[in-house]
Amino acid sequence: MLDHSWKTSVNLGALIQIPGVWDPFVKSYVEMLEFYGDQDGAREVLTNYAYDEKFPSNPNDHIYLYNFLKREKAPREKLISVLKILYQIVTSHKLMLEFHRLLRKSEKEEHHKLGLEVLFGVLDFAGCTKNITAWKYLAKYLRQTLMGSHLAWVQEEWSSRKNWWPGFHFSYFWAKSDWKEDKALACEKALVAGVLSGKKGCRYFRYISKQDHQVFRKKIKRMKKLVKKYSIINPGL
């Protein structure tokens, strides 16, 4: 068995040196190297597969490398550098919320700014419109960003979306639909909508803010206060 495994390892090692997309073979080879305790070899294979220009651009390269480094408990900066490339390839990947959390914990202001950009980027995609975690993160991070006197960051992200996000996310139709299907989601979205579009200029916020539901009454009241305090429409007035 050991002899057979060694021959398989040699064959896989030779195969993945050839330019191409070898995801299942790379994954198997790395698992084999890890099994035999060759962490350095596994790291080298994954790093080459992700960064060597002879291989086609492929998001799985960076996913495999990130998961390996995470298992190794690599420094946050290293994890961020890998996910930053994945973000440029697949903005809506499920790992982007994890990327946001890493950026949020960083001490660098540029990472905090990127953390906001990442959340907006995730929610640009139709497949993420019902992702309550993404909306919770954005609602919370908008407040933190504005409390940190970074209004310009929010305005920069909103300027390229203010003409299409209202119809895409914040329409009257979506307000009614979201409230019916998932009231917690609707409250998070309404908070974001109110902060970005103002309490008077957003039909989504107006609809949700008028609902009376015993379970969500306090949440809606708090939402109204936060929108009044943090709305980027006429800030300070």
Side-chain angles (χ1 to χ4, degrees):
M1 284 294 293
L2 288 173
D3 184 56
H4 178 71
S5 296
W6 173 251
K7 288 179 180 178
T8 301
S9 175
V10 170
N11 290 335
L12 287 174
L15 177 65
I16 63 176
Q17 296 302 314
I18 303 170
V21 178
W22 304 110
D23 291 354
F25 302 103
V26 168
K27 193 173 182 181
S28 296
Y29 186 46
V30 167
E31 288 174 355
M32 190 176 298
L33 291 173
E34 285 192 274
F35 179 79
Y36 287 109
D38 188 0
Q39 297 297 110
D40 291 339
R43 189 185 310 104
E44 182 179 358
V45 168
L46 289 171
T47 301
N48 289 341
Y49 193 53
Y51 297 121
D52 194 323
E53 293 182 355
K54 72 182 180 183
F55 295 106
S57 178
N58 174 10
N60 286 335
D61 307 351
H62 307 285
I63 295 168
Y64 296 157
L65 179 58
Y66 173 75
N67 287 330
F68 174 82
L69 293 172
K70 188 178 176 182
R71 290 195 298 274
E72 279 202 317
K73 302 187 184 303
R76 185 188 302 134
E77 287 290 325
K78 183 62 178 177
L79 297 176
I80 286 175
S81 69
V82 175
L83 288 183
K84 189 174 183 179
I85 297 175
L86 179 62
Y87 169 65
Q88 294 166 353
I89 301 172
V90 189
T91 309
S92 61
H93 194 277
K94 62 182 181 180
L95 281 173
M96 291 304 102
L97 294 182
E98 197 165 319
F99 183 35
H100 165 77
R101 291 196 298 270
L102 289 169
L103 293 167
R104 193 173 63 200
K105 293 175 182 177
S106 172
E107 296 180 358
K108 294 183 178 180
E109 189 172 274
E110 64 185 271
H111 286 165
H112 297 165
K113 186 175 187 294
L114 180 58
L116 182 66
E117 178 187 319
V118 166
L119 291 177
F120 273 100
V122 167
L123 290 167
D124 280 344
F125 289 84
C128 300
T129 57
K130 301 283 189 180
N131 190 324
I132 189 171
T133 303
W135 286 109
K136 281 183 176 179
Y137 282 2
L138 183 56
K140 181 178 180 180
Y141 205 58
L142 280 173
R143 298 197 305 273
Q144 291 179 351
T145 301
L146 292 167
M147 286 174 63
S149 301
H150 294 298
L151 172 63
W153 294 2
V154 179
Q155 291 174 327
E156 181 182 340
E157 295 300 326
W158 184 234
S159 65
S160 61
R161 295 173 172 89
K162 62 184 179 182
N163 292 328
W164 65 276
W165 262 38
F168 187 60
H169 286 308
F170 303 141
S171 66
Y172 180 73
F173 168 82
W174 282 122
K176 290 183 67 177
S177 176
D178 290 342
W179 181 255
K180 182 179 180 181
E181 295 178 11
D182 189 339
K183 292 176 175 55
L185 170 67
C187 288
E188 297 297 339
K189 285 183 65 175
L191 176 53
V192 172
V195 169
L196 296 175
S197 299
K199 60 182 181 180
K200 294 182 179 179
C202 181
R203 299 183 72 185
Y204 194 105
F205 173 80
R206 292 205 307 272
Y207 180 85
I208 302 302
S209 65
K210 291 177 182 177
Q211 302 307 306
D212 186 21
H213 189 285
Q214 185 176 354
V215 175
F216 291 92
R217 196 170 292 152
K218 288 184 178 180
K219 191 175 184 67
I220 291 174
K221 184 178 180 180
R222 181 171 180 269
M223 176 191 73
K224 292 178 182 178
K225 289 182 178 179
L226 290 171
V227 167
K228 183 178 181 180
K229 184 175 181 179
Y230 293 111
S231 177
I232 66 172
I233 304 302
N234 299 321
L237 296 183

